[in-house]
């Protein structure tokens, strides 16, 4: 890299937007219908950063890729698959596709920003001109045919190009879920999530116990040797990647760990844990099967029924102590579901909502389409209530002004909207065999889903405005 490009990369890296997300993974035997589920809140540094829901068709996929942030150049294969994507609307810092499902029903979510430590970076420093969150979905998802293949392709790219930041990435197909975490500039480790397990991950290196020769793990070829050579393992009798490569900071105890604690508390209420515990487990097993609605609730949560609830009755210090999962910086929540009890043509469902998650619902869009509804695709930097991104953000903003007053309206809306979406989905599934042209049939279903979502979100906002007007401070009780 010449000096001019180096200085440009440094400038972009200094001003890049760092995400701070929450991830939930659910194995096929842990989910209510046998689906694999990978999901994430795509959170940003700023409260508002418009996003779009699009399909990238093979002709639209670049063959000569160059990132905006690091300026890295990557030559891509000539045979990309079609895939869904949730890119930024404003491309100042690059595409940032966030997540998607490809035409082989392989899903990817990238990334969960994670942590590291100085011992690791002293051995394998970050690469200024490497790849990062901006790039990963574009470089990997169109070229993989299984979740494991996604791990191997991303691992190869990390070893070849390096990275300038630590990230966790989820991959899934109808049978398997894999979770990869980057280590330093060039290394990585991945673990297959057991079929009967779930994971909640929140901005820390999450993988704990790790066996290098197990069938459910993958990693850089020299990772075990690096640990030994540089004496990186702080434990006497175990290999715990979180201890070796991750962090255990004060920030973790208030920003990261409490989110994992609350998710695990929701799925396993019978287990008592400390919200600040640095060693909350990575792999968990719920007492009951997990639904899409369960995942959405946790990804929208703010420590409900605890003293830490932002909208609750705790002291001001308690309510401000922990970073909530649902937050004003949620840009989207995606739940990528690969179903195994339906034909492969309709197996991939890209559930999606925009904005802060307290006053929105996820919509089950079919992934096997060539285009997406305009109300989810065309948001830009101009405020427009005809775009779901801006409509959702507006509803959340109003709801935040008096959560207790508006929450019953929100609860009724959620029940009715999700029921309506599921009816449309069930009807679409049932009519598959009579569809003459599959993709137009599924695209029409997506249009119906988007119209239903826009209608119900608009109705919710309208009810909130009408009822809230009675409580405005700008009023006087003596009528004219």
């Amino acid at each position: 890299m010449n000096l001019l490009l180096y200085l440009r990369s440094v400038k972009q890296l200094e001003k890049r937007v760092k995400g701070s997300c929450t991830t939930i993974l659910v194995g096929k035997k842990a989910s209510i219908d046998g689906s694999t589920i990978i999901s994430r809140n795509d959170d940003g540094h700023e409260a508002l950063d418009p996003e779009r829901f699009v399909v990238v068709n093979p002709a639209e996929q670049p063959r000569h890729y160059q990132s905006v942030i690091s300026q890295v150049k990557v030559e891509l294969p000539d045979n990309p698959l079609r895939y869904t994507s949730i890119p930024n609307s404003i491309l100042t810092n690059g595409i940032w596709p966030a997540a998607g499902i490809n035409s082989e029903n392989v899903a990817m979510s990238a990334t969960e920003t994670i942590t590291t430590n100085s011992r690791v970076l002293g051995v394998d420093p970050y690469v200024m001109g490497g790849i990062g969150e901006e790039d990963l979905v574009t470089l990997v998802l169109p070229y993989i045919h299984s979740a494991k293949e996604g791990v191997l392709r991303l691992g190869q790219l990390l070893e070849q190009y390096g990275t300038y930041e630590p990230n966790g990435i989820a991959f899934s197909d109808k049978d398997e879920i894999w979770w990869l975490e980057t280590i330093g500039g060039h290394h990585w480790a991945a673990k297959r999530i057991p079929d009967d397990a779930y994971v909640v991950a929140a901005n820390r290196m999450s993988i704990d116990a790790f066996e290098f020769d197990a069938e459910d793990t993958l990693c850089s070829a020299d990772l075990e040797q690096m640990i030994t050579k540089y004496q990186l393992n702080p434990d006497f009798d175990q290999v715990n990647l979180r201890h070796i490569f991750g962090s255990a900071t004060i920030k973790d105890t208030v920003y990261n760990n409490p989110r994992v604690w609350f998710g695990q508390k929701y799925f396993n209420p019978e287990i008592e844990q400390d919200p600040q515990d640095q060693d909350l487990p990575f792999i968990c097993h719920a007492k009951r099967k997990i639904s899409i609605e369960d995942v959405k609730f946790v990804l929208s949560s703010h420590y409900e029924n605890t003293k830490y609830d932002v909208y609750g009755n705790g002291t001001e210090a308690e309510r401000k102590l922990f970073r909530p999962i649902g937050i004003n910086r949620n840009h989207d929540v995606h739940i990528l579901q690969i179903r195994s009890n339906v034909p492969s043509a309709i197996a991939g469902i890209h559930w999606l909502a925009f904005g802060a998650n307290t006053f929105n619902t996820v919509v089950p869009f079919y992934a096997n389409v060539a285009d997406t509804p305009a109300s989810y695709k065309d948001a830009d930097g101009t405020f427009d209530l005809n775009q779901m991104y801006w409509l959702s953000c507006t509803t959340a903003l109003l709801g935040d002004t008096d959560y207790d007053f508006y929450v019953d309206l929100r609860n009724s809306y959620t029940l009715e909207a999700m029921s309506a979406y599921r009816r449309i989905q069930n009807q679409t599934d049932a009519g598959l065999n009579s569809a003459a042209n599959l993709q137009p049939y599924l695209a029409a279903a997506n249009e119906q889903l988007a119209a239903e979502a826009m209608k119900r979100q608009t109705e919710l906002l309208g009810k909130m405005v009408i009822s809230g007007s009675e409580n405005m401070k700008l009023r006087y009780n003596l009528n004219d």
Side-chain angles (χ1 to χ4, degrees):
M1 180 182 295
N2 63 39
L3 180 60
L4 182 61
L5 285 177
Y6 176 79
L7 292 174
R8 183 177 179 185
S9 293
V10 170
K11 185 176 180 181
Q12 288 286 353
L13 286 167
E14 286 176 345
K15 69 178 184 179
R16 77 182 188 274
V17 178
K18 294 184 179 181
S20 53
C21 311
T22 308
T23 291
I24 297 178
L25 315 175
V26 183
K28 63 183 181 181
K29 292 183 179 178
S31 71
I32 197 168
D33 65 351
S35 299
T36 58
I37 298 171
I38 63 175
S39 63
R40 182 170 59 92
N41 282 347
D42 186 19
D43 304 339
H45 178 70
E46 302 294 339
L48 296 178
D49 192 359
E51 293 185 345
R52 306 166 59 229
F53 176 45
V54 303
V55 173
V56 181
N57 291 291
E60 300 163 325
Q61 174 71 2
R63 301 312 193 261
H64 312 286
Y65 178 83
Q66 183 172 11
S67 76
V68 172
I69 291 177
S70 72
Q71 297 292 297
V72 67
K73 295 181 179 179
V74 181
E75 295 300 310
L76 295 175
D78 287 329
N79 57 340
L81 300 169
R82 185 191 69 247
Y83 61 102
T84 59
S85 173
I86 324 168
N88 285 359
S89 298
I90 301 168
L91 303 179
T92 305
N93 291 302
I95 301 172
W96 293 70
I101 302 173
N102 72 21
S103 55
E104 290 290 317
N105 288 325
V106 180
M108 177 181 180
S109 180
T111 70
E112 181 80 30
T113 302
I114 61 172
T115 53
T116 186
N117 63 63
S118 58
R119 299 183 301 278
V120 178
L121 296 181
V123 173
D124 184 11
Y126 292 141
V127 178
M128 190 72 69
I131 58 177
E133 180 172 356
E134 172 200 347
D135 319 302
L136 300 188
V137 170
T138 304
L139 300 182
V140 176
L141 184 57
Y143 309 102
I144 58 176
H145 300 78
S146 70
K148 185 175 181 179
E149 191 177 327
V151 170
L152 294 173
R153 175 166 174 81
L154 179 54
Q156 182 270 322
L157 290 169
L158 289 167
E159 292 168 5
Q160 180 177 355
Y161 295 98
T163 185
Y164 51 80
E165 60 185 6
N167 284 308
I169 300 95
F171 298 94
S172 66
D173 53 42
K174 70 180 179 65
D175 293 314
E176 296 186 349
I177 297 174
W178 284 81
W179 176 252
L180 180 150
E181 294 183 321
T182 68
I183 297 168
H186 296 88
H187 289 80
W188 58 277
K191 191 163 187 173
R192 183 180 183 272
I193 309 306
D195 293 342
D196 62 349
Y198 76 90
V199 166
V200 182
N203 295 137
R204 282 184 73 195
M205 184 149 197
S206 295
I207 298 175
D208 44 27
F210 193 85
E211 296 181 26
F212 289 98
D213 57 354
E215 292 184 355
D216 63 349
T217 63
L218 294 166
C219 65
S220 306
D222 64 338
L223 190 65
E224 186 175 16
Q225 292 79 5
M226 184 177 79
I227 294 170
T228 302
K229 179 179 179 180
Y230 293 99
Q231 299 175 305
L232 298 177
N233 191 352
D235 295 317
F236 290 109
D237 56 358
Q238 65 174 330
V239 176
N240 183 312
L241 297 193
R242 190 188 305 169
H243 294 173
I244 297 170
F245 299 119
S247 63
T249 65
I250 299 300
K251 179 180 178 180
D252 290 330
T253 67
V254 295
Y255 196 84
N256 301 329
N257 304 346
R259 286 180 279 154
V260 176
W261 165 77
F262 187 80
Q264 293 181 1
K265 177 181 174 65
Y266 179 81
F267 293 123
N268 290 102
E270 76 283 3
I271 300 176
E272 292 290 335
Q273 298 182 121
D274 181 347
Q276 297 185 294
D277 188 350
Q278 300 280 27
D279 285 313
L280 293 169
F282 175 55
I283 301 296
C284 299
H285 297 83
K287 285 193 67 175
R288 58 182 177 82
K289 295 178 182 180
I290 297 172
S291 69
I292 296 294
E293 287 83 353
D294 291 326
V295 173
K296 173 58 166 66
F297 173 81
V298 174
L299 290 176
S300 305
S301 62
H302 38 86
Y303 307 111
E304 287 91 328
N305 291 336
T306 77
K307 61 185 177 181
Y308 309 113
D309 187 353
V310 174
Y311 298 122
N313 298 317
T315 66
E316 183 177 5
E318 289 168 338
R319 288 184 283 113
K320 292 183 177 180
L321 181 59
F322 297 151
R323 190 269 210 201
I325 298 175
I327 198 169
N328 65 325
R329 295 184 282 109
N330 299 143
H331 294 162
D332 81 68
V333 53
H334 52 265
I335 304 174
L336 308 182
Q337 178 187 25
I338 308 299
R339 302 186 291 175
S340 59
N341 60 346
V342 297
S344 60
I346 56 171
I349 303 295
H350 190 136
W351 296 81
L352 180 64
F354 291 126
N357 289 338
T358 43
F359 283 81
N360 62 14
T361 49
V362 284
V363 181
F365 292 112
Y366 290 90
N368 186 13
V369 292
D371 201 358
T372 54
S375 59
Y376 278 76
K377 180 177 64 174
D378 293 339
D380 56 23
T382 302
F383 180 80
D384 182 358
L385 288 178
N386 293 309
Q387 292 297 318
M388 180 56 87
Y389 176 84
W390 289 110
L391 180 59
S392 294
C393 291
T394 304
T395 313
L397 178 63
L398 180 56
D400 185 70
T401 64
D402 193 340
Y403 180 83
D404 288 341
F405 180 77
Y406 292 119
V407 69
D408 284 343
L409 287 174
R410 190 279 312 272
N411 291 341
S412 296
Y413 148 78
T414 300
L415 176 63
E416 294 165 5
M418 290 296 291
S419 300
Y421 306 154
R422 285 196 175 277
R423 283 195 297 273
I424 294 171
Q425 185 182 48
N426 289 336
Q427 292 165 1
T428 304
D429 287 356
L432 179 66
N433 291 335
S434 61
N437 297 298
L438 180 61
Q439 282 197 348
Y441 175 73
L442 297 180
N446 284 354
E447 292 287 350
Q448 186 181 1
L449 286 161
E452 187 73 29
M454 288 291 295
K455 181 188 77 170
R456 291 185 178 274
Q457 189 82 34
T458 302
E459 289 175 350
L460 172 62
L461 179 59
K463 290 177 181 178
M464 291 169 66
V465 170
I466 293 168
S467 59
S469 296
E470 297 294 333
N471 291 331
M472 289 178 64
K473 295 178 182 178
L474 189 67
R475 67 180 189 271
Y476 196 75
N477 291 331
L478 182 62
N479 292 330
D480 291 337

